Amino acid sequence: MKNVVERAVILAGEGPLRFEEALPSSSFSYPAHVSQPQARTSARGFLTAKEFERSERNNLVAAMETSGWRLAGADGAAAQLGMTVSKLRSRLKALNIKKPEPASLYMRLGASRGIETFARDLFGRAIGHPQLGRFWKGRSTYGVMREEQLLVAYLSSAAGGPAEYAGRDMKKAHHDLRITASDWEAFNAILNETLVALRVPETERREVAAFTESLKLDIVVED
Ligand code: HEM
């Protein structure tokens, strides 16, 4: 773990921490490429127009982030995507993709890669947890991956990122699960473990914890 953290710090320089590049692939519950939303079709074998658009959106955001939100030039997103600058500009406009605020929690957590790493780590801990694991028992791999994707989109958009969340609201998504106060405590413990393991700084840790706590009334239904 120490090596991973050291690598993340080295890779980050003065920018946000880049956990994903620092983590060996064995740290993930399944290979990183499996969870790339743009690389997957739905269970029905094809994407609807809306899903296709979301997939395009994720792809453009990834390219924009990789190129530091520069459109033009050899390292710019347009060249990397194999598009003209004007075509890219018009797709960004059509999909309403905007550069996130540098001070947003999204950027401070390492943008899409940081949030994906965080969500995956947290989700892996939840599924494997002796008390919380029951909520995912018997679910299909596809269902679990879809949920992870929704969690990434939810966290990204809540933190001020350009992702579009297309899932249910927190009340609807969790109501039938009958999540108890004790489950919530267990969840908070793994949330904190994740934040510490990924060496998220204190300020951001507090912000994530406060945001999560604001969802409690929507998620917990039983004492
Ligand atoms: C004790 C805590 C929690 C447990 C046990 C839990 C469990 C689950 C389960 C089992 C699902 C799948 C529901 C279904 O497919 O019907 C789900 C969905 C989801 N959860 Fe949680 N969750 C917890 C807390 C949270 C928190 C704090 C967040 C946000 C930060 C969150 C975000 C989501 C999202 C975005 C979905 C997908 C919604 C959708 O399917 O439309 N969950 N959760």
Side-chain angles (χ1 to χ4, degrees):
M1 188 63 220
K2 191 162 167 274
N3 285 347
V4 167
V5 169
E6 278 168 4
R7 259 181 69 69
V9 172
I10 292 163
L11 286 165
E14 292 185 352
L17 291 186
R18 284 148 60 193
F19 305 114
E20 193 164 16
E21 281 173 23
L23 287 166
S25 52
S26 59
S27 298
F28 296 99
S29 46
Y30 41 82
H33 71 268
V34 175
S35 79
Q36 292 301 307
Q38 62 271 25
R40 271 192 272 130
T41 55
S42 69
R44 76 180 89 76
F46 60 88
L47 300 176
T48 62
K50 193 72 204 156
E51 287 165 348
F52 191 72
E53 188 182 288
R54 209 167 300 129
S55 166
E56 182 188 6
R57 177 184 196 88
N58 287 334
N59 193 47
L60 294 182
V61 168
M64 292 303 288
E65 288 186 350
T66 304
S67 61
W69 290 87
R70 268 181 304 106
L71 277 85
D75 296 336
Q80 301 213 46
L81 285 160
M83 291 166 95
T84 61
V85 172
S86 65
K87 170 83 180 168
L88 176 56
R89 195 169 277 133
S90 97
R91 291 312 296 149
L92 293 174
K93 194 165 176 221
L95 298 173
N96 195 25
I97 298 173
K98 293 190 183 117
K99 184 179 175 179
E101 289 296 324
S104 63
L105 182 58
Y106 174 80
M107 291 304 275
R108 285 182 282 131
L109 288 175
S112 64
R113 301 182 71 156
I115 301 240
E116 270 180 39
T117 306
F118 166 71
R120 260 191 226 140
D121 192 295
L122 177 65
F123 200 42
R125 285 172 203 264
I127 292 174
H129 192 275
Q131 180 178 342
L132 299 175
R134 73 183 193 278
F135 291 107
W136 291 275
K137 222 169 168 206
R139 279 175 194 259
S140 69
T141 307
Y142 175 76
V144 169
M145 293 201 314
R146 184 181 167 279
E147 193 192 324
E148 189 195 73
Q149 233 180 297
L150 285 170
L151 179 62
V152 169
Y154 182 82
L155 291 173
S156 302
S157 77
E164 194 185 67
Y165 176 64
R168 295 167 287 171
D169 67 42
M170 291 300 100
K171 220 175 193 152
K172 281 209 184 86
H174 297 95
H175 183 267
D176 292 347
L177 299 171
R178 317 303 303 170
I179 294 172
T180 66
S182 152
D183 294 330
W184 187 254
E185 263 177 46
F187 177 80
N188 267 321
I190 58 165
L191 174 68
N192 196 47
E193 267 170 40
T194 303
L195 292 167
V196 170
L198 296 180
R199 260 214 181 162
V200 173
E202 179 73 23
T203 312
E204 284 73 25
R205 245 161 45 201
R206 285 211 187 134
E207 279 179 58
V208 172
F211 170 71
T212 309
E213 199 53 28
S214 76
L215 303 171
K216 183 179 176 186
L217 288 178
D218 285 344
I219 293 177
V220 176
V221 293
E222 289 178 7
D223 279 338

